[in-house]
Amino acid sequence: MKVLVTVKEVAEADDDFAIEGTDIAESDLEYDLNEWDDYAVEAAVQLAEAGIADEVVTVTVGRERTEETIRMALAKGADRAVRVWDEALDGAFADVASKVDLFEAVVAEEEPDLVLGGVQAADTGFGATGVALAERIGFEHAAVVNDLDVDADAGVAHVHRELEGGVEELTEVDLPAVLTVQTGLNEPRYASLRGIRQAQRKEIAAKDLSDLGLTADDVESSLTITSMYEPESESDAEMIDGDAGESADRLAEVLREKGVSA
């Protein structure tokens, strides 16, 4: 059984950041593997360690820079990786439909029995890519999976899902399937020094649109970022500095000004 894991490098902005054009300044961003995808990688590696999965392949959409982040998934036990990027994607906002176009082409090439991914990404938070991919490729799917047991011989995944209102569901999903996992499904491992060294020798296949049989028109985004700005604050909150005594004095003063205390 082959498991394909969709992973994403996400950006986190510093507390203080500058805006350049329609994006946050590159110097104010830090990059890491998406938290939810980390749990998906761990689930796939555990399936391999249990002898259920024969191969774990990760796939991401991103520039060459993302390989440093994606190698962390390889260091944790994934066998190889596919990185999709093309100059036609540079500067474009990769909406859900565009990413699904790319992942659909990779799925057709890899022919996985199971596709795993995080419920959402920490940056955009759409939470729609996995479900949309399942619909596009005709796989069964389940979202918000927080427990997973795969019976490869029976071709079934037993999944436990956390739904709205505290409702929990235990259901069976026929393979091939797409499952998006929630944090708490497992405990993602730290990459060992040996794993990090081995990851340097593992394959990251770089593919552009032509390699996947696609054109720029096929993945043109329907969304465009027209502007980005930091919203003006309407709060009149005051940050009280100083030691405990000074802070207490100022707080008492503010409370008297507001008529809260005598």
Side-chain angles (χ1 to χ4, degrees):
M1 185 176 85
K2 179 189 289 188
V3 181
L4 182 69
V5 188
T6 60
V7 297
K8 183 180 183 181
E9 180 187 70
V10 295
E12 181 177 350
D14 295 335
D15 292 337
D16 295 319
F17 58 85
I19 294 176
E20 296 180 351
T22 57
D23 210 344
I24 296 174
E26 184 73 20
S27 59
D28 294 330
L29 294 174
E30 293 185 2
Y31 296 92
D32 201 357
L33 180 66
N34 181 44
E35 179 184 6
W36 285 265
D37 295 344
D38 201 8
Y39 287 84
V41 170
E42 178 64 28
V45 172
Q46 288 185 12
L47 289 174
E49 291 175 339
I52 298 172
D54 302 309
E55 185 179 29
V56 175
V57 183
T58 66
V59 55
T60 191
V61 178
R63 299 174 178 82
E64 185 176 356
R65 184 204 64 230
T66 64
E67 291 192 5
E68 181 178 350
T69 298
I70 303 312
R71 284 201 186 277
M72 292 308 297
L74 297 176
K76 294 182 178 189
D79 297 298
R80 57 185 177 88
V82 176
R83 181 179 64 83
V84 180
W85 191 251
D86 194 281
E87 290 184 1
L89 301 172
D90 194 24
F93 181 76
D95 62 7
V96 171
S98 299
K99 287 186 286 187
V100 167
D101 289 331
L102 298 170
F103 286 146
E104 179 187 18
V106 175
V107 168
E109 190 172 271
E110 293 289 342
E111 298 182 340
D113 303 285
L114 178 63
V115 179
L116 295 176
V119 166
Q120 65 187 52
D123 49 7
T124 57
F126 286 160
T129 303
V131 176
L133 175 61
E135 173 69 20
R136 179 76 65 81
I137 62 180
F139 282 17
E140 289 200 15
H141 76 272
V144 203
V145 174
N146 59 12
D147 194 21
L148 173 63
D149 180 24
V150 176
D151 186 342
D153 293 332
V156 171
H158 304 279
V159 302
H160 188 279
R161 307 200 306 138
E162 178 186 349
L163 306 180
E164 295 290 339
V167 176
E168 298 186 352
E169 178 187 69
L170 179 61
T171 189
E172 293 184 353
V173 179
D174 291 332
L175 302 179
V178 176
L179 305 178
T180 55
V181 304
Q182 178 63 293
T183 57
L185 171 68
N186 47 49
E187 186 65 36
R189 69 193 66 192
Y190 289 99
S192 66
L193 182 59
R194 179 185 179 188
I196 293 173
R197 288 173 176 169
Q198 291 177 336
Q200 300 304 314
R201 299 191 296 271
K202 291 182 178 179
E203 176 190 5
I204 298 181
K207 295 182 179 294
D208 58 20
L209 293 180
S210 62
D211 293 327
L212 298 175
L214 298 171
T215 66
D217 291 338
D218 293 328
V219 296
E220 183 177 1
S221 175
S222 59
L223 299 179
T224 303
I225 298 179
T226 58
S227 65
M228 180 177 290
Y229 62 91
E230 187 175 358
E232 295 182 6
S233 174
E234 299 180 356
S235 172
D236 58 354
E238 176 185 342
M239 301 299 294
I240 300 177
D241 299 319
D243 59 27
E246 294 171 338
S247 298
D249 290 341
R250 178 53 186 158
L251 179 58
E253 182 182 350
V254 170
L255 292 176
R256 286 193 294 269
E257 291 173 355
K258 300 296 183 182
V260 178
S261 64

